[in-house]
CSV table of all heavy atoms in Angstrom, one decimal:
chain,number,residue,atom,x,y,z
A,1,LEU,N,0.8,-1.2,0.0
A,1,LEU,CA,0.0,0.0,0.0
A,1,LEU,C,0.9,1.3,0.0
A,1,LEU,O,0.6,2.3,-0.8
A,1,LEU,CB,-1.0,0.0,1.2
A,1,LEU,CG,-2.0,-1.1,1.2
A,1,LEU,CD1,-2.8,-1.1,2.6
A,1,LEU,CD2,-3.1,-0.7,0.0
A,2,TYR,N,1.8,1.3,0.9
A,2,TYR,CA,2.7,2.5,1.0
A,2,TYR,C,3.6,2.6,-0.2
A,2,TYR,O,3.8,3.7,-0.7
A,2,TYR,CB,3.5,2.4,2.3
A,2,TYR,CG,2.8,3.0,3.5
A,2,TYR,CD1,2.2,2.1,4.4
A,2,TYR,CD2,2.5,4.3,3.7
A,2,TYR,CE1,1.6,2.5,5.6
A,2,TYR,CE2,1.8,4.8,4.7
A,2,TYR,CZ,1.3,3.9,5.6
A,2,TYR,OH,0.6,4.4,6.7
A,3,LYS,N,4.1,1.5,-0.7
A,3,LYS,CA,5.0,1.5,-1.9
A,3,LYS,C,4.2,2.1,-3.1
A,3,LYS,O,4.9,2.7,-4.0
A,3,LYS,CB,5.4,0.0,-2.3
A,3,LYS,CG,6.4,0.0,-3.5
A,3,LYS,CD,6.7,-1.5,-3.8
A,3,LYS,CE,7.5,-1.6,-4.9
A,3,LYS,NZ,7.8,-3.0,-5.3
A,4,ASN,N,2.9,2.0,-3.2
A,4,ASN,CA,2.2,2.5,-4.2
A,4,ASN,C,1.6,3.8,-4.1
A,4,ASN,O,0.7,4.3,-4.9
A,4,ASN,CB,1.1,1.4,-4.7
A,4,ASN,CG,1.6,0.3,-5.5
A,4,ASN,OD1,1.9,0.3,-6.6
A,4,ASN,ND2,1.8,-0.9,-4.7
A,5,GLY,N,2.0,4.5,-3.0
A,5,GLY,CA,1.6,5.9,-2.9
A,5,GLY,C,0.6,6.2,-1.8
A,5,GLY,O,0.2,7.4,-1.6
A,6,ALA,N,0.3,5.2,-0.9
A,6,ALA,CA,-0.5,5.5,0.3
A,6,ALA,C,0.1,6.6,1.2
A,6,ALA,O,1.3,6.5,1.4
A,6,ALA,CB,-0.8,4.3,1.1
A,7,GLN,N,-0.7,7.5,1.6
A,7,GLN,CA,-0.1,8.6,2.6
A,7,GLN,C,-0.7,8.3,4.0
A,7,GLN,O,-0.4,9.0,4.9
A,7,GLN,CB,-0.7,9.9,2.2
A,7,GLN,CG,-0.1,10.4,0.8
A,7,GLN,CD,-0.7,11.6,0.2
A,7,GLN,OE1,-1.7,12.1,0.7
A,7,GLN,NE2,-0.1,12.2,-0.8
A,8,GLY,N,-1.3,7.2,4.2
A,8,GLY,CA,-1.7,6.6,5.5
A,8,GLY,C,-2.7,5.5,5.2
A,8,GLY,O,-3.1,5.2,4.1
A,9,LEU,N,-3.2,4.9,6.2
A,9,LEU,CA,-4.2,3.8,6.1
A,9,LEU,C,-5.5,4.4,6.5
A,9,LEU,O,-5.6,5.1,7.6
A,9,LEU,CB,-3.8,2.6,7.0
A,9,LEU,CG,-2.4,2.0,6.8
A,9,LEU,CD1,-2.2,0.8,7.7
A,9,LEU,CD2,-2.3,1.5,5.4
A,10,SER,N,-6.6,4.1,5.8
A,10,SER,CA,-7.9,4.7,6.2
A,10,SER,C,-8.5,3.9,7.3
A,10,SER,O,-9.5,4.4,7.9
A,10,SER,CB,-8.8,4.6,4.9
A,10,SER,OG,-8.9,3.4,4.3
A,11,PHE,N,-8.0,2.7,7.7
A,11,PHE,CA,-8.4,2.0,8.8
A,11,PHE,C,-7.4,0.8,9.0
A,11,PHE,O,-6.6,0.6,8.1
A,11,PHE,CB,-9.8,1.4,8.8
A,11,PHE,CG,-10.0,0.5,7.5
A,11,PHE,CD1,-9.9,-0.9,7.7
A,11,PHE,CD2,-10.3,1.1,6.3
A,11,PHE,CE1,-10.1,-1.7,6.6
A,11,PHE,CE2,-10.5,0.3,5.2
A,11,PHE,CZ,-10.4,-1.1,5.2
A,12,ASP,N,-7.4,0.2,10.2
A,12,ASP,CA,-6.5,-0.9,10.4
A,12,ASP,C,-6.9,-2.1,9.5
A,12,ASP,O,-8.1,-2.4,9.5
A,12,ASP,CB,-6.5,-1.5,11.8
A,12,ASP,CG,-5.9,-0.3,12.8
A,12,ASP,OD1,-5.2,0.4,12.3
A,12,ASP,OD2,-6.3,-0.4,14.1
A,13,PRO,N,-6.0,-2.6,8.6
A,13,PRO,CA,-6.4,-3.6,7.8
A,13,PRO,C,-6.9,-4.8,8.5
A,13,PRO,O,-6.5,-5.2,9.6
A,13,PRO,CB,-5.1,-4.0,6.9
A,13,PRO,CG,-4.3,-2.8,7.1
A,13,PRO,CD,-4.5,-2.3,8.4
A,14,ILE,N,-7.8,-5.6,7.8
A,14,ILE,CA,-8.3,-6.9,8.3
A,14,ILE,C,-7.6,-7.9,7.3
A,14,ILE,O,-7.9,-7.9,6.2
A,14,ILE,CB,-9.8,-6.9,8.2
A,14,ILE,CG1,-10.4,-5.9,9.1
A,14,ILE,CG2,-10.4,-8.3,8.6
A,14,ILE,CD1,-11.9,-5.7,8.9
A,15,VAL,N,-6.8,-8.8,7.9
A,15,VAL,CA,-6.2,-10.0,7.2
A,15,VAL,C,-6.5,-11.2,8.1
A,15,VAL,O,-5.9,-11.3,9.1
A,15,VAL,CB,-4.7,-9.6,7.0
A,15,VAL,CG1,-4.1,-10.8,6.1
A,15,VAL,CG2,-4.6,-8.4,6.2
A,16,VAL,N,-7.3,-12.0,7.6
A,16,VAL,CA,-7.7,-13.3,8.4
A,16,VAL,C,-7.7,-14.4,7.4
A,16,VAL,O,-8.0,-14.3,6.2
A,16,VAL,CB,-9.2,-13.1,9.1
A,16,VAL,CG1,-8.8,-12.1,10.3
A,16,VAL,CG2,-10.1,-12.6,8.1
A,17,SER,N,-7.6,-15.7,8.0
A,17,SER,CA,-7.5,-16.8,7.2
A,17,SER,C,-8.4,-18.0,7.7
A,17,SER,O,-8.7,-18.0,9.0
A,17,SER,CB,-6.1,-17.3,7.0
A,17,SER,OG,-5.6,-17.6,8.2
A,18,GLY,N,-8.7,-18.9,7.0
A,18,GLY,CA,-9.4,-20.1,7.5
A,18,GLY,C,-10.7,-19.8,8.2
A,18,GLY,O,-11.5,-19.0,7.8
A,19,PRO,N,-10.8,-20.4,9.4
A,19,PRO,CA,-12.1,-20.2,10.2
A,19,PRO,C,-12.2,-18.7,10.7
A,19,PRO,O,-13.3,-18.2,10.9
A,19,PRO,CB,-12.0,-21.2,11.3
A,19,PRO,CG,-10.6,-21.5,11.4
A,19,PRO,CD,-10.0,-21.5,10.0
A,20,ASN,N,-11.0,-18.1,10.8
A,20,ASN,CA,-11.1,-16.6,11.2
A,20,ASN,C,-11.9,-15.8,10.1
A,20,ASN,O,-12.3,-14.7,10.5
A,20,ASN,CB,-9.7,-16.1,11.4
A,20,ASN,CG,-9.0,-16.8,12.6
A,20,ASN,OD1,-9.7,-17.3,13.4
A,20,ASN,ND2,-7.7,-16.6,12.7
A,21,THR,N,-12.0,-16.2,8.9
A,21,THR,CA,-12.6,-15.4,7.9
A,21,THR,C,-14.2,-15.3,8.3
A,21,THR,O,-14.9,-14.5,7.6
A,21,THR,CB,-12.4,-15.9,6.5
A,21,THR,OG1,-12.9,-17.3,6.5
A,21,THR,CG2,-10.9,-15.8,6.0
A,22,SER,N,-14.7,-16.1,9.1
A,22,SER,CA,-16.1,-16.0,9.4
A,22,SER,C,-16.4,-14.8,10.4
A,22,SER,O,-17.5,-14.5,10.6
A,22,SER,CB,-16.6,-17.3,10.0
A,22,SER,OG,-16.0,-17.4,11.4
A,23,MET,N,-15.3,-14.1,10.8
A,23,MET,CA,-15.5,-13.0,11.6
A,23,MET,C,-15.3,-11.7,10.8
A,23,MET,O,-14.1,-11.4,10.3
A,23,MET,CB,-14.4,-13.0,12.7
A,23,MET,CG,-14.6,-14.1,13.8
A,23,MET,SD,-13.5,-14.1,15.1
A,23,MET,CE,-12.0,-14.7,14.3
A,24,PRO,N,-16.4,-11.0,10.5
A,24,PRO,CA,-16.3,-9.9,9.4
A,24,PRO,C,-15.1,-8.9,9.8
A,24,PRO,O,-14.5,-8.3,8.8
A,24,PRO,CB,-17.6,-9.2,9.4
A,24,PRO,CG,-18.5,-10.3,9.9
A,24,PRO,CD,-17.7,-11.1,11.0
A,25,HIS,N,-14.9,-8.6,11.1
A,25,HIS,CA,-13.9,-7.7,11.5
A,25,HIS,C,-12.8,-8.4,12.4
A,25,HIS,O,-12.5,-7.8,13.4
A,25,HIS,CB,-14.5,-6.6,12.2
A,25,HIS,CG,-15.0,-5.5,11.3
A,25,HIS,ND1,-15.2,-4.0,11.7
A,25,HIS,CD2,-15.2,-5.4,10.0
A,25,HIS,CE1,-15.7,-3.4,10.5
A,25,HIS,NE2,-15.7,-4.2,9.5
A,26,GLY,N,-12.4,-9.5,12.0
A,26,GLY,CA,-11.3,-10.2,12.7
A,26,GLY,C,-10.1,-9.5,12.6
A,26,GLY,O,-9.9,-8.6,11.9
A,27,VAL,N,-9.2,-9.8,13.5
A,27,VAL,CA,-7.9,-9.3,13.6
A,27,VAL,C,-6.7,-10.2,13.3
A,27,VAL,O,-6.8,-11.4,13.8
A,27,VAL,CB,-7.7,-8.8,15.0
A,27,VAL,CG1,-6.3,-8.1,15.3
A,27,VAL,CG2,-8.8,-7.7,15.4
A,28,ALA,N,-5.8,-9.8,12.5
A,28,ALA,CA,-4.6,-10.7,12.1
A,28,ALA,C,-3.9,-11.2,13.3
A,28,ALA,O,-3.7,-10.3,14.3
A,28,ALA,CB,-3.7,-9.9,11.1
A,29,GLY,N,-3.5,-12.5,13.3
A,29,GLY,CA,-2.8,-13.0,14.5
A,29,GLY,C,-1.7,-13.9,14.0
A,29,GLY,O,-1.3,-13.9,12.9
């Protein structure tokens, strides 16, 4: 994101996998 010109993040990204994807606003772990 930053490499392509982002000047900040509009929110904390949500990156989840497997069963964690059933949580719409899960948190990467």
Side-chain angles (χ1 to χ4, degrees):
L1 291 169
Y2 279 104
K3 181 181 178 182
N4 283 283
Q7 297 172 346
L9 302 177
S10 52
F11 58 95
D12 291 337
I14 298 166
V15 179
V16 287
S17 63
N20 292 340
T21 59
S22 70
M23 296 180 283
H25 278 198
V27 177

